[in-house]
């Protein structure tokens, strides 16, 4: 349980300012930590750090344990002497300071990382050997998975040749010999990722800033997790899904949402004492101080859709593991700080699960003003908050505050002004008043996306669900997190008893 008043900022690693095309563990990340400290913040919430696949979503990763090689600092590799500044500067990463060009990133960054690996003599590094040994339970399968995927030109593992798709021993032995250096390259990138991340997290912790990590409930079908552990999921004898994840039809989508992730075989997990989940959470708590679990309601009930369906209309609800999982986590790992993402339609049984777990749940102020609601009964209105919750102006999936206020109906804008008692401010003034509202609420933890402190419009939006090609691209520009803004945030954090004094 998060049991003191704190505040923090939501900003993905990818959205940090940087020289080489995407936010990473470079000098700018350390400067951002210093800026958070100067602004009186105690938490930095990020998005999942896994290697991303088609669509670049951090919620569809090739591994739940691996890190994204894009986040490796090239500046650090230059300092090590395995790359030169001229080599890095010669690569075209795009020209927009506030945008990520993933196509150019993919073409350019891996070539540089390969050069760094070839010059590193990494096999002679005792720290690398120790990393291989300590992380063997996931690293061996992940590195082989990525090496074979590259050999097969990126096609999903479900379309690989039968021998390696079904992990026949002779095929595993063959590819481990044939792709030895490609496998070691993948392990090298993971070593550098974790080495650099550990340093950045230690620096944040030294400033009394805690890192809030984020994990999806599901893994991607095209992942090392599903390929290496097919018995943990609802797959058939050919390792094809029988059912996949999604959401049922509702007022926002007449055909529902078809996510396509393989569903867990919860009976197998329960019979193993939830061994895979214990390893997953233990890994997460080595990486983060607090973990936000996405789609928490799926642990109470999850929506199953027949594999091959084009929509979610024929799905049905099945029972999840419930408190059995979280009791086992507590027994195995001790009491940990977990945030339950319980947004969306909440049944009574989901509410009971959140209450029994003791985890703080989420409140989003953008959800509080809906003209379809009547009276003051909304759980998202601040006067209805419990202390044990985390309040946001919006999440990575929402519009920015300014974009949202411009897009809601006139009736809803009136609801906002009536609740604030504020009839004269312009839209930017209303956004600042909403930040003050949530900062002053009883919620123990308040997290604000940096875009809302900057009062930016929807051009700074991180993600628009159910769309492709325009998401996960926005970046903070150098100088935007100004000393003036830091002072304003520090004043708010102090005024509302949330300041990081340490």
């Amino acid at each position: 349980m998060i049991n003191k008043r704190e505040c923090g900022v939501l900003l993905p690693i990818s959205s940090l300012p940087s020289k080489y095309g995407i936010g990473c563990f470079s000098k700018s990340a350390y400067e951002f930590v210093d800026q958070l400290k100067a602004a009186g913040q105690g938490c930095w919430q990020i998005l999942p750090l896994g290697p991303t696949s088609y669509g670049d979503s951090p919620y569809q990763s090739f591994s739940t344990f691996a890190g994204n090689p894009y986040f490796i600092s090239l500046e650090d590799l230059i300092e090590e002497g395995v790359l030169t500044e001229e080599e890095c500067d010669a690569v075209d990463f795009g020209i927009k300071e506030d945008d990520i060009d993933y196509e150019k990133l993919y073409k350019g960054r891996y070539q540089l990382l390969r050069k760094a690996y070839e010059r590193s003599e990494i096999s002679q590094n005792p720290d690398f050997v120790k990393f291989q040994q300590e992380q063997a339970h996931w690293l061996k399968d992940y590195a082989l998975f990525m090496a074979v995927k590259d050999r097969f030109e990126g096609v999903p593992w479900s379309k690989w040749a039968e021998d390696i798709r079904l992990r026949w021993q002779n095929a595993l032995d063959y590819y481990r010999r044939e792709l030895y250096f490609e496998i070691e390259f993948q392990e090298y990138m993971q070593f550098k990722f974790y080495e650099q991340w550990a340093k950045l997290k230690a620096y944040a912790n030294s400033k009394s800033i805690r890192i809030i990590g984020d994990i999806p409930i599901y893994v991607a079908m095209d992942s090392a997790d599903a390929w290496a552990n097919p018995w943990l999921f609802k797959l058939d004898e050919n390792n094809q899904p029988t059912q996949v994840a999604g959401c049922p039809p509702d007022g926002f989508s007449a055909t529902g949402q078809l996510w396509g992730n393989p569903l867990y075989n919860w009976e197998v997990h329960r019979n193993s004492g939830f061994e895979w989940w214990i390893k997953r959470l233990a890994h997460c708590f080595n990486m983060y101080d607090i973990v936000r679990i996405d789609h928490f309601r799926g642990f109470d009930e999850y929506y199953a859709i027949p594999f091959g369906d084009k929509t979610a209309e024929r799905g049905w609800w099945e029972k999840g593991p419930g408190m059995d999982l979280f009791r086992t986590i507590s027994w195995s790992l001790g009491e940990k700080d977990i945030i339950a993402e319980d947004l969306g339609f909440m049944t009574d049984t989901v509410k009971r699960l959140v209450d029994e777990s003791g985890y703080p749940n989420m409140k989003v102020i953008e959800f509080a003003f809906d003209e379809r609601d009547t009276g003051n009964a909304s759980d998202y209105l601040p006067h209805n908050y419990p202390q044990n919750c985390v309040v946001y102006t919006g999440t990575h999936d929402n519009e920015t505050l300014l974009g949202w206020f411009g897009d809601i109906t006139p009736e809803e804008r009136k609801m906002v002004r009536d609740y604030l008692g504020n009839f004269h401010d312009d839209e930017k003034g209303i956004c600042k008043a909403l930040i003050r509202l949530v900062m002053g609420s009883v919620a123990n933890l308040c997290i604000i996306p940096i875009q809302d402190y900057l009062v930016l419009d929807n051009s700074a939006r991180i993600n628009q669900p159910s769309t492709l090609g325009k998401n996960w691209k926005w970046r903070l520009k150098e100088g935007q997190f100004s000393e003036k803004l830091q002072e304003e945030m520090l004043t708010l954090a102090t005024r509302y008893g949330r300041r990081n004094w340490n």
Side-chain angles (χ1 to χ4, degrees), residues 391-418:
V391 61
Y392 299 76
T393 48
T395 73
H396 62 278
D397 282 336
N398 298 123
E399 297 178 86
T400 65
L401 260 186
L402 184 62
W404 165 80
F405 190 74
D407 283 347
I408 59 178
T409 67
E411 291 79 9
E412 289 166 339
R413 283 195 288 274
K414 183 177 184 302
M415 290 172 66
V416 174
R417 291 183 181 276
D418 286 345

Side-chain angles (χ1 to χ4, degrees), residues 239-483:
N239 288 352
Q240 296 294 328
T242 57
Q243 302 161 15
V244 294
C247 278
D250 56 22
F252 298 99
S253 174
T255 58
Q257 297 180 40
L258 182 61
W259 301 337
N261 306 76
L263 293 171
Y264 295 110
N265 186 332
W266 283 117
E267 183 179 358
V268 170
H269 284 272
R270 184 176 280 107
N271 290 340
S272 72
F274 298 105
E275 179 184 7
W276 183 86
W277 273 96
I278 299 301
K279 288 180 179 178
R280 185 185 190 190
L281 268 296
H283 184 81
C284 287
F285 281 107
N286 282 331
M287 294 182 68
Y288 316 118
D289 302 296
I290 304 169
V291 172
R292 170 192 178 273
I293 302 181
D294 196 48
H295 194 61
F296 194 81
R297 76 152 302 169
F299 295 107
D300 174 59
E301 289 182 314
Y302 61 91
Y303 195 66
I305 304 163
F307 177 65
D309 279 18
K310 302 300 183 185
T311 73
E313 293 170 280
R314 293 201 310 133
W316 62 90
W317 291 102
E318 293 195 6
K319 289 299 294 182
M323 275 304 299
D324 287 351
L325 172 62
F326 300 111
R327 289 191 194 98
T328 306
I329 290 170
S330 179
W331 292 332
S332 301
L333 303 179
E335 295 301 320
K336 297 293 185 181
D337 283 330
I338 292 174
I339 297 171
E341 188 277 296
D342 61 341
L343 305 177
F345 178 71
M346 290 283 287
T347 64
D348 290 340
T349 55
V350 179
K351 291 178 181 178
R352 282 197 297 272
L353 177 62
V354 173
D355 288 343
E356 192 173 351
S357 73
Y359 303 148
N361 64 342
M362 290 175 55
K363 307 295 182 184
V364 178
I365 199 64
E366 288 185 12
F367 296 168
F369 304 99
D370 187 331
E371 62 181 314
R372 293 170 295 185
D373 292 336
T374 58
N376 293 311
S378 171
D379 288 341
Y380 298 111
L381 286 167
H383 67 266
N384 290 323
Y385 294 172
Q387 281 184 278
N388 188 33
C389 73
V390 185
V391 61
Y392 299 76
T393 48
T395 73
H396 62 278
D397 282 336
N398 298 123
E399 297 178 86
T400 65
L401 260 186
L402 184 62
W404 165 80
F405 190 74
D407 283 347
I408 59 178
T409 67
E411 291 79 9
E412 289 166 339
R413 283 195 288 274
K414 183 177 184 302
M415 290 172 66
V416 174
R417 291 183 181 276
D418 286 345
Y419 194 83
L420 292 171
N422 186 332
F423 302 99
H424 304 294
D425 276 0
D426 61 12
E427 292 187 352
K428 289 192 174 183
I430 290 293
C431 292
K432 291 182 178 181
L434 286 167
I435 290 174
R436 291 194 298 271
L437 178 70
V438 296
M439 286 288 284
S441 74
V442 72
N444 279 336
L445 180 57
C446 178
I447 301 291
I448 311 290
I450 194 68
Q451 300 96 309
D452 289 346
Y453 275 123
L454 291 164
V455 200
L456 300 179
D457 63 22
N458 278 338
S459 63
R461 185 172 181 173
I462 295 290
N463 178 49
Q464 186 174 342
S466 301
T467 65
L468 279 175
K470 57 184 179 181
N471 300 318
W472 322 109
K473 291 186 173 186
W474 179 81
R475 280 198 294 160
L476 186 67
K477 292 192 288 189
E478 200 74 47
Q480 271 188 303
F481 198 174
S482 64
E483 289 186 8

Side-chain angles (χ1 to χ4, degrees), residues 22 38 62 65 78 107 111 142 149 165 172 195 243 284 305 327 421-422 457:
I22 190 171
F62 290 130
F65 292 94
I78 292 170
K107 290 178 179 178
Q111 290 181 3
Y142 169 76
K149 176 175 272 291
R165 173 169 55 84
L172 294 173
E195 180 183 62
Q243 302 161 15
C284 287
I305 304 163
R327 289 191 194 98
N422 186 332
D457 63 22

Side-chain angles (χ1 to χ4, degrees), residues 58-215:
Y59 293 90
Q60 292 287 341
S61 174
F62 290 130
S63 169
T64 194
F65 292 94
N68 193 335
Y70 287 160
F71 298 154
I72 296 170
S73 168
L74 300 183
E75 289 96 325
D76 283 15
L77 299 182
I78 292 170
E79 288 184 13
E80 287 179 27
V82 291
L83 289 176
T84 68
E85 193 169 355
E86 291 75 20
E87 286 171 331
C88 295
D89 289 345
V91 175
D92 179 11
F93 288 113
I95 59 173
K96 296 180 72 175
E97 188 183 1
D98 61 350
D99 186 72
I100 300 169
D101 188 324
Y102 282 102
E103 183 178 359
K104 290 181 177 178
L105 197 68
Y106 179 78
K107 290 178 179 178
R109 206 171 188 93
Y110 284 110
Q111 290 181 3
L112 290 171
L113 292 172
R114 183 75 189 205
K115 284 182 182 178
Y117 157 68
E118 291 171 352
R119 296 166 179 168
S120 68
E121 298 182 353
I122 195 63
S123 61
Q124 307 303 313
N125 185 330
D127 290 335
F128 174 66
V129 175
K130 182 181 178 184
F131 175 77
Q132 288 177 306
Q133 294 168 346
E134 290 179 346
Q135 305 301 323
H137 69 95
W138 66 267
L139 183 62
K140 285 185 176 181
D141 283 322
Y142 169 76
L144 176 61
F145 173 84
M146 294 302 294
V148 174
K149 176 175 272 291
D150 285 347
R151 170 62 61 92
F152 290 155
E153 299 182 337
V155 301
W157 70 266
S158 58
K159 297 181 180 179
W160 292 355
E162 183 182 36
D163 58 351
I164 189 63
R165 173 169 55 84
L166 297 180
R167 294 175 58 86
W168 296 352
Q169 190 60 51
N170 63 331
L172 294 173
D173 294 341
Y174 168 79
Y175 283 108
R176 284 178 181 136
R177 290 192 306 270
E178 179 75 8
L179 302 176
Y180 177 86
F181 291 108
E182 286 73 15
I183 291 169
E184 189 177 67
F185 172 49
Q186 294 293 335
E187 293 176 333
Y188 166 79
M189 289 192 290
Q190 290 306 304
F191 173 66
K192 299 312 296 185
F193 171 94
Y194 277 101
E195 180 183 62
Q196 292 185 6
W197 171 247
K199 289 178 181 177
L200 177 58
K201 180 181 180 295
Y203 184 76
N205 290 165
S206 76
K207 302 289 184 178
S208 298
I209 293 170
R210 296 194 291 171
I211 303 294
I212 303 176
D214 193 337
I215 65 168

